[in-house]
Amino acid sequence: MVHLGPKKPQARKGSMADVPKELMDEIHQLEDMFTVDSETLRKVVKHFIDELNKGLTKKGGNIPMIPGWVMEFPTGKESGNYLAIDLGGTNLRVVLVKLSGNHTFDTTQSKYKLPHDMRTTKHQEELWSFIADSLKDFMVEQELLNTKDTLPLGFTFSYPASQNKINEGILQRWTKGFDIPNVEGHDVVPLLQNEISKRELPIEIVALINDTVGTLVASYYTDPETKMGVIFGTGVNGAFYDVVSDIEKLEGKLADDIPSNSPMAINCEYGSFDNEHLVLPRTKYDVAVDEQSPRPGQQAFEKMTSGYYLGELLRLVLLELNEKGLMLKDQDLTKLKQPYIMDTSYPARIEDDPFENLEDTDDIFQKDFGVKTTLPERKLIRRLCELIGTRAARLAVCGIAAICQKRGYKTGHIAADGSVYNKYPGFKEAAAKGLRDIYGWTGDASNDPITIVPAEDGSGAGAAVIAALSEKRIAEGKSLGIIGA
């Protein structure tokens, strides 16, 4: 079997010689359970392609395949000053993006902490007023209030929203702890623009975007070899450019001036891949995660690959091993029995433990859970973390391979962002190895034809570049979306 942990000296992890046979037997069983071989990966990719295509049909499928209404590739020559905002769960980020026109950009940003009860305010005007006031404060800071020109703004709104054109977003449902009445079912663009206008700010919202589409477009602006934008974080997602003529569900809906060979950015939302459980190699622990989740049967792919669930998988395995009487014996596991008490920082820190005796892991379990561990137990825990992280990386790249094969891409760069990609030890190496195994590439990995690279700032620079493309369409009198939208 191929092991892909962090690039650290192998000896540092120590030998398994002192691990009792009963624990070694469990380690071998876990290795069999969590290891995904090349043949399985290729089966997953084949089914993934079918599901991506199904999502573009009028009937649809598990994967939503949402048109992002970005209908041009950036040239890298777009230039000018643009504002971008990103409404997260905790902060509002406001960014001034200066597009240079030579594939580069500069950004200046400020963050504004959302007031504690803002996410559940009964008055939706309070949210839009907060954003408009923050924009005004930022413009004062940057000495932009007296500008003669209206500043175009790209709004990254990463909540489920339907769009019939680039400058609208009808909220389907709040997520991330938001629950503000009288917004669901409404277009959020005029709600915010109204508050901006009340303050007489020289700002016009010209694009509402998803962060994954932003990642695709921002990266393409600086690197025309970009084929996808992907997020490996709390969730998992990908975006790419398809062609209008291949998107059956848009047939007869588009304005006449949108040609059939026009590109169209697609926000896949492919965390919902394989909700029927046909190909993903689920373990009993994956089944438990799904059954105990708020929405059983949904987001099957996300539950095996994204940061929200990796720590929970670790916790469930450890509890079962305890129930079998194999480890953490005769201790109070009350804390460890709390669902989701282990976020993904736990397996990440355990994998990153630099000590031969796994001293950091010992500290984590004693301080956070009041549990003492033996060195053999810590070695099992460490190996389990490697298995869970490596499996997530190998499965996650199936979405990349599926889109590249669907679109016929033989070479290119896949622009990746997200906390798991950026911070999880060994994830980048395991993802690259997963792609190599799917394609059967051999030789020096630096010569791989399709490579995953760090993404540009999707919710800042991406929103700005999309605003520039939208502004150009508006100036040319071109349609922005569906007929009548």
Side-chain angles (χ1 to χ4, degrees):
M1 109 174 225
V2 176
H3 165 61
L4 277 157
K7 289 186 172 177
K8 292 177 181 166
Q10 201 64 26
R12 197 260 305 141
K13 294 175 193 171
S15 118
M16 290 283 192
D18 56 345
V19 178
K21 181 180 183 302
E22 59 181 7
L23 283 187
M24 278 307 302
D25 288 344
E26 288 298 328
I27 287 173
H28 292 319
Q29 282 187 41
L30 290 167
E31 285 175 342
D32 289 343
M33 205 179 293
F34 281 94
T35 299
V36 186
D37 63 22
S38 306
E39 186 182 350
T40 302
L41 290 177
R42 286 191 280 269
K43 283 180 184 169
V44 171
V45 171
K46 188 173 182 296
H47 187 57
F48 218 128
I49 296 168
D50 292 341
E51 290 296 295
L52 292 169
N53 287 327
K54 196 182 289 182
L56 294 174
T57 65
K58 289 177 181 174
K59 188 178 177 185
N62 281 324
I63 304 178
M65 301 296 279
I66 302 165
W69 301 110
V70 183
M71 293 177 279
E72 290 91 6
F73 297 104
T75 63
K77 295 178 181 177
E78 292 81 8
S79 62
N81 293 345
Y82 293 84
L83 285 172
I85 56 173
D86 181 10
L87 179 64
T90 311
N91 297 301
L92 171 75
R93 189 166 68 114
V94 182
V95 192
L96 173 64
V97 184
K98 296 184 176 181
L99 301 178
S100 66
N102 64 354
H103 299 280
T104 62
F105 58 83
D106 289 312
T107 60
T108 308
Q109 65 174 319
S110 290
K111 283 187 177 177
Y112 301 89
K113 188 167 180 58
L114 284 165
H116 177 67
D117 53 1
M118 180 64 76
R119 284 178 288 180
T120 52
T121 176
K122 298 301 177 206
H123 307 286
Q124 50 103 351
E125 295 84 359
E126 289 183 14
L127 174 64
W128 313 118
S129 292
F130 169 77
I131 297 173
D133 287 338
S134 301
L135 277 166
K136 185 173 183 178
D137 291 346
F138 183 80
M139 293 186 79
V140 170
E141 282 172 32
Q142 300 302 318
E143 299 180 352
L144 294 169
L145 267 187
N146 296 321
T147 180
K148 291 177 184 175
D149 299 321
T150 300
L151 279 168
L153 182 142
F155 184 4
T156 301
F157 188 72
S158 296
Y159 303 84
S162 58
Q163 290 183 274
N164 289 320
K165 56 183 177 179
I166 189 67
N167 56 353
E168 89 170 7
I170 298 163
L171 178 66
Q172 298 303 300
R173 65 181 183 280
W174 282 117
T175 57
K176 301 179 187 176
F178 277 79
D179 187 18
I180 302 173
N182 303 316
V183 184
E184 292 180 355
H186 295 275
D187 182 359
V188 300
V189 172
L191 295 176
L192 175 56
Q193 186 69 57
N194 184 46
E195 294 299 324
I196 289 170
S197 301
K198 280 183 188 175
R199 288 155 183 78
E200 298 183 346
L201 301 177
I203 296 171
E204 182 182 4
I205 305 168
V206 296
L208 183 133
I209 73 158
N210 167 274
D211 58 351
T212 316
V213 172
T215 298
L216 166 69
V217 175
S219 298
Y220 196 105
Y221 180 84
T222 63
D223 172 18
E225 290 299 308
T226 301
K227 296 295 189 286
M228 279 185 73
V230 294
I231 305 290
F232 302 123
T234 306
V236 61
N237 194 15
F240 71 105
Y241 278 103
D242 213 312
V243 181
V244 163
S245 57
D246 290 344
I247 306 172
E248 182 193 287
K249 62 186 176 184
L250 292 180
E251 277 179 14
K253 293 183 177 181
L254 294 177
D256 293 340
D257 65 349
I258 299 175
S260 63
N261 64 351
S262 169
M264 173 71 80
I266 299 288
N267 165 26
C268 299
E269 295 291 354
Y270 58 42
S272 55
F273 166 66
D274 200 30
N275 281 347
E276 297 107 334
H277 310 310
L278 297 176
V279 293
L280 287 173
R282 297 203 306 163
T283 66
K284 58 186 172 182
Y285 309 108
D286 298 301
V287 173
V289 163
D290 182 41
E291 288 176 349
Q292 294 162 22
S293 72
R295 299 187 179 217
Q298 295 185 26
Q299 300 300 101
F301 188 60
E302 185 173 281
K303 286 170 181 169
M304 295 176 73
T305 57
S306 80
Y308 190 78
Y309 299 98
L310 302 186
E312 180 67 359
L313 284 168
L314 169 63
R315 188 187 73 87
L316 290 174
V317 178
L318 295 182
L319 286 179
E320 185 183 77
L321 293 177
N322 170 260
E323 285 165 12
K324 287 181 176 179
L326 293 170
M327 63 188 297
L328 311 178
K329 299 171 190 172
D330 303 318
Q331 298 192 64
D332 181 2
L333 300 187
T334 303
K335 282 193 174 177
L336 205 55
K337 287 180 178 174
Q338 291 179 42
Y340 294 91
I341 191 74
M342 282 185 151
D343 62 29
T344 296
S345 71
Y346 284 92
R349 282 183 288 158
I350 292 166
E351 271 212 57
D352 226 9
D353 190 337
F355 299 105
E356 186 133 352
N357 67 352
L358 300 174
E359 186 182 313
D360 282 357
T361 303
D362 189 35
D363 287 346
I364 287 168
F365 275 83
Q366 288 208 48
K367 287 178 182 172
D368 292 9
F369 308 113
V371 173
K372 292 182 179 177
T373 54
T374 65
L375 181 55
E377 288 173 349
R378 294 196 291 278
K379 288 182 177 179
L380 179 147
I381 293 167
R382 166 61 183 267
R383 183 73 184 111
L384 175 58
C385 291
E386 292 171 345
L387 291 167
I388 289 170
T390 299
R391 186 189 72 158
R394 288 173 69 79
L395 286 175
V397 298
C398 290
I400 293 172
I403 282 169
C404 288
Q405 290 179 30
K406 167 182 155 47
R407 296 292 300 133
Y409 299 142
K410 304 294 186 193
T411 64
H413 296 158
I414 309 302
D417 205 353
S419 54
V420 173
Y421 175 77
N422 291 318
K423 296 178 182 176
Y424 198 101
F427 188 91
K428 293 177 184 178
E429 294 81 11
K433 181 67 169 62
L435 272 182
R436 287 171 68 76
D437 286 354
I438 289 167
Y439 282 97
W441 294 327
T442 56
D444 186 348
S446 64
N447 294 325
D448 288 352
I450 296 169
T451 53
I452 305 170
V453 300
E456 298 291 353
D457 171 15
S459 58
V465 176
I466 292 170
L469 296 173
S470 304
E471 192 185 30
K472 184 168 180 280
R473 281 191 80 86
I474 291 166
E476 293 173 351
K478 290 182 178 177
S479 302
L480 299 176
I482 284 174
I483 298 167

